[in-house]
Amino acid sequence: MNGILVALVGALLCFYGIRSVHLGLLAIGFGLGWLIADLFNASFWWLLLAALIGAVSVWAVTSLVFRFASYFIGGLTGVMIGTKLATVLQPGDKNVALSMIVALAVGVSGAFLAQKFHARALLWLTSIGGASMVCSGVALFSDSLSFLRDPEPGWQQVTATLAWVGLSILGWITQRHLFAEQLGIQHLVGDDDEPDMRDRNGGWPTK
């Protein structure tokens, strides 16, 4: 049940995240709280509490400062991706300080990318961030899949990375086709009329 909850929230962000700003924010906050708490090997209930606090906090803060939402959304999703990246790149015992540096660096990059490229960048960020959550959730299904959450050096590290990358690409392709109109991808929409991004982007910042 633990893994199913995390995997479902991750799948929502990975395959449907660009559709609704409110669902996306809740999923981003949930995943961010979960992955950061997971660095400290917290118990399930502490992980769940951190995830719920993260979901509510991210949604509330970003809603209050929506003028700068692109920075916040891109940055927070980047921190989530950076946290997962630090886990994959550090098999075994984790250096928490190094993990925070990686998470912060990717977070800053995500913020600037989201501000510059708007919905297109958020499409990538939600796909990659959601995929990281799906991998962490699936890892809880059984001990044989635990390497997806905390791989050992060698084949586990390679397999976990490939699974994350593959799922991210699948999420990107899915969202790009499902929400082509919201993203303004004309050749996939099949319509010569330019869509009104203010009404059709699910509330995500576009400019």
Side-chain angles (χ1 to χ4, degrees), residues 120-137:
R120 297 297 183 90
L122 292 170
L123 171 62
W124 272 110
L125 291 168
T126 54
S127 299
I128 298 172
S132 69
M133 285 187 64
V134 173
C135 290
S136 295

Side-chain angles (χ1 to χ4, degrees), residues 21-154:
V21 64
H22 296 292
L23 287 176
L25 285 171
L26 290 170
I28 290 168
F30 186 97
L32 181 60
W34 181 284
L35 290 173
I36 290 178
D38 196 37
L39 284 174
F40 298 92
N41 297 315
S43 66
F44 169 73
W45 292 111
W46 280 110
L47 288 170
L48 183 59
L49 179 61
L52 293 175
I53 291 174
V56 174
S57 300
V58 167
W59 179 83
V61 171
T62 309
S63 297
L64 289 173
V65 291
F66 197 77
R67 180 180 177 184
F68 304 100
S70 291
Y71 279 115
F72 279 94
I73 296 168
L76 292 170
T77 312
V79 171
M80 184 198 308
I81 295 169
T83 303
K84 179 64 176 179
L85 185 63
T87 301
V88 172
L89 295 179
Q90 296 182 90
D93 294 335
K94 305 294 183 295
N95 184 321
V96 176
L98 179 59
S99 298
M100 292 295 105
I101 291 173
V102 173
L104 181 61
V106 180
V108 171
S109 300
F112 280 102
L113 287 173
Q115 180 63 20
K116 183 174 179 60
F117 299 106
H118 306 295
R120 297 297 183 90
L122 292 170
L123 171 62
W124 272 110
L125 291 168
T126 54
S127 299
I128 298 172
S132 69
M133 285 187 64
V134 173
C135 290
S136 295
V138 171
L140 299 175
F141 287 1
S142 70
D143 291 339
S144 61
L145 296 172
S146 62
F147 69 89
L148 291 174
R149 171 177 170 265
D150 190 14
E152 296 294 331

